[in-house]
Amino acid sequence: MAHYRCDYPMRWSDMDAYGHVNNVQYLRFFEDARIEAFAAHQAGEGDKSLLDTGILVARHEIEYVKPLKWRPEPVHIDLWITTIKGARIDVGYEVYDEHPGEERVRYALAASTLVIYDLVSERPKRISHADVERLEALRGEPVPFRMRRAQ
C-alpha cells in the first residue's frame, strides 16, 4: 500500500484542558497533511495544484484510538488515496508513533471525502486523467476502522 508520510509538528495550542490533543485539532492535522502530500505529488493541471482549482471537503470520519499527549517531537501522519471516481477523492489517514525496536502506537484513523470543485461555475468538476495518474501513486486500501470490523 502506497502512503505519503508527513512528520507533523504539534503546537502547544493543539492541547486541551485534559492534557491531550483536542479532537478537533485532528482535522487541521489532516488538512495540513493533504496540502503537503498533494504538493509533493504535483497533483494539478499544468502549474496549478488541485488546491488552486478548488477542493471541497464533503465528509470526515475519525476513529480516536488512544489519546495523543503534546510533546515537542512530531507525530507521524500517513495519508493515502482509497477512491478516485468522477469528481470524488477519498483519502485515508493514520496518526501514529513509530520508533525502532518499539511497537507502533496508533492514535487515530480517519477518512475524508473530497470533491474537486469548479469555483467559477460552482459545480463539481471531474478529476483530470493526469491528476488521476499522479494520485494513483498514493493508492491504498480502505481505512481499517475498528468499529466497522466489529459490526
Side-chain angles (χ1 to χ4, degrees):
M1 178 164 28
H3 286 191
Y4 179 83
R5 179 173 156 173
C6 174
D7 293 327
Y8 192 81
M10 292 190 287
R11 298 170 301 244
W12 183 257
S13 61
D14 293 336
M15 187 172 51
D16 66 14
Y18 297 116
H20 63 265
V21 173
N22 186 276
N23 68 87
V24 298
Q25 295 303 326
Y26 281 83
L27 293 174
R28 184 163 319 280
F29 287 10
F30 303 143
E31 177 184 48
D32 290 347
R34 275 194 314 272
I35 290 168
E36 183 179 316
F38 286 173
H41 282 80
Q42 299 175 344
E45 295 177 15
D47 61 350
K48 287 192 169 190
S49 161
L50 281 175
L51 303 169
D52 295 324
T53 60
I55 291 184
L56 299 179
V57 174
R59 180 179 174 281
H60 288 300
E61 181 176 357
I62 304 173
E63 182 175 280
Y64 301 98
V65 179
K66 181 178 179 165
L68 172 59
K69 295 184 179 182
W70 184 89
R71 76 290 176 92
E73 300 83 30
V75 67
H76 307 304
I77 302 171
D78 275 3
L79 174 148
W80 65 97
I81 305 298
T82 62
T83 304
I84 304 172
K85 185 177 182 178
R88 175 179 138 197
I89 302 172
D90 290 340
V91 181
Y93 313 87
E94 179 183 17
V95 180
Y96 66 97
D97 274 327
E98 188 170 55
H99 303 289
E102 294 180 23
E103 190 173 323
R104 185 178 184 128
V105 177
R106 179 183 285 167
Y107 300 104
L109 290 169
S112 297
T113 297
L114 311 174
V115 176
I116 306 305
Y117 196 75
D118 184 319
L119 299 171
V120 175
S121 68
E122 297 183 340
R123 296 178 52 96
K125 178 177 121 178
R126 181 171 287 279
I127 303 164
S128 74
H129 180 70
D131 287 336
V132 170
E133 285 183 351
R134 288 182 189 105
L135 292 172
E136 281 294 334
L138 292 173
R139 181 68 81 148
E141 297 294 321
V143 177
F145 290 114
R146 294 178 307 165
M147 297 302 284
R148 289 194 186 152
R149 289 191 309 256
Q151 297 175 349

